Amino acid sequence: MSVARTPLVAGNWKMHKTVTEAEEFIQGLLPRVSTSEGVEVAICPAFTALQAMVDSTRGSRVQVFAQTMHQAGHGAFTGEVSAAMLTELDVHGVILGHSERRELFGETDKALALKVPAALEAGLVPILCVGETDEERERGDTERKLRHQIQEGLSKVQAAEIPRVVIAYEPIWAIGTGKVASVEQAQEAAGFIRALVADRSAEQAEHVRVLYGGSVKAQNARELLALPDVDGALVGGASLEAESFAAIVAAAG
Ligand code: 13P
């Protein structure tokens, strides 16, 4: 039995946009996505622009996600932000385990095993990012890497909570490179991820949304978003301009 999953198109701004720039963007985006049906839309600004974007999107269809958070409720973790700090702002969710956080800031699967349930417990929607490097794919290690990341990331999540988790498949070799995964590669990995979730619960796996990320543009979005196991996109560069981001949203609707 196939389950209808509402696609999610999320723009990960990374370290881009001051509050002023974010305001300018959102005024351009809101009218462009106001009529898109059957798709959820999210922006993921830097911490500094979260409050402004929550305020500016209130009553609209655009959700606001943070880009990372700490697993602890509070403590001596200079520079970090807790789930409660995000929910107080009315933030909808949080990206966890983006490959840039893993590679450049030492985020581990062990920490992510705590972050995913911490986000859920606080009422945030986690977008758990997974994906292989170029070398891992060349070596035939893609499935092993994905299995490890998914098993760890979901290890402390209750089965009933699994449908609230969004998983983003982001092959690292496709991020910011203009080298998009082929539709075959994207479907194969997304299907494999769903099968891994099914190892935890076959029923819940049908409800989990699996996004594709890595050089998604208005020109390639439609074919990627049409894949049976791809339920949306996590967009970097093309989410920085309202026009190109809105075109990707339109491709999902
Ligand atoms: P690009 O769309 O710029 O390749 O970035 C993808 C990404 O990392 C989204 O999280």
Side-chain angles (χ1 to χ4, degrees):
M1 191 194 71
S2 76
V3 171
R5 295 179 292 268
T6 305
L8 169 64
V9 176
N12 175 11
W13 291 356
K14 310 189 179 184
M15 199 174 75
H16 293 281
K17 296 197 190 295
T18 63
V19 174
T20 310
E21 290 162 349
E23 289 288 10
E24 198 177 311
F25 170 94
I26 204 68
Q27 297 319 321
L29 183 72
L30 290 177
R32 288 184 162 93
V33 297
S34 62
T35 56
S36 311
E37 295 283 330
V39 53
E40 288 181 26
V41 184
I43 52 169
C44 315
F47 286 135
T48 46
L50 285 175
Q51 182 71 73
M53 290 303 96
V54 167
D55 291 342
S56 294
T57 56
R58 223 180 277 283
S60 82
R61 56 184 303 112
V62 177
Q63 303 167 0
V64 178
F65 281 57
Q67 296 177 12
T68 185
M69 63 165 226
H70 197 274
Q71 62 271 29
H74 51 83
F77 303 108
T78 301
E80 292 288 329
V81 160
S82 72
M85 294 171 186
L86 298 176
T87 52
E88 192 185 43
L89 301 185
D90 264 351
V91 163
H92 192 85
V94 58
I95 299 175
L96 294 174
H98 190 279
S99 61
E100 287 150 18
R101 299 296 316 168
R102 294 176 187 262
E103 276 186 11
L104 305 172
F105 303 101
E107 186 154 56
T108 61
D109 284 314
K110 216 167 137 209
L112 288 161
L114 300 173
K115 290 185 185 206
V116 179
L120 289 166
E121 228 164 86
L124 294 166
V125 173
I127 302 180
L128 173 66
C129 301
V130 298
E132 80 287 359
T133 63
D134 216 358
E135 300 83 71
E136 285 162 338
R137 179 164 280 271
E138 292 294 311
R139 281 205 308 267
D141 272 347
T142 300
E143 294 197 345
R144 193 184 57 79
K145 174 81 172 288
L146 295 178
R147 180 178 296 112
H148 183 75
Q149 290 182 321
I150 297 285
Q151 283 178 349
E152 284 280 306
L154 298 182
S155 59
K156 293 177 170 44
V157 177
Q158 306 284 334
E161 292 288 291
I162 286 177
R164 290 181 52 219
V165 180
V166 178
I167 298 173
Y169 169 60
E170 297 208 308
I172 295 167
W173 47 269
I175 296 179
T177 58
K179 214 167 116 183
V180 67
S182 68
V183 286
E184 290 80 14
Q185 288 169 327
Q187 169 54 29
E188 189 180 31
F192 180 69
I193 288 168
R194 195 175 307 285
L196 291 171
V197 180
D199 288 342
R200 282 290 308 279
S201 164
E203 193 197 331
Q204 313 289 26
E206 286 302 307
H207 296 276
V208 166
R209 287 178 293 181
V210 181
L211 314 184
Y212 168 80
S215 297
V216 176
K217 309 277 176 241
Q219 301 87 303
N220 58 27
R222 197 169 293 278
E223 59 177 10
L224 290 162
L225 292 167
L227 295 169
D229 282 300
V230 173
D231 310 307
L234 186 54
V235 185
S239 75
L240 295 174
E241 297 290 336
E243 198 175 343
S244 54
F245 188 55
I248 295 169
V249 171

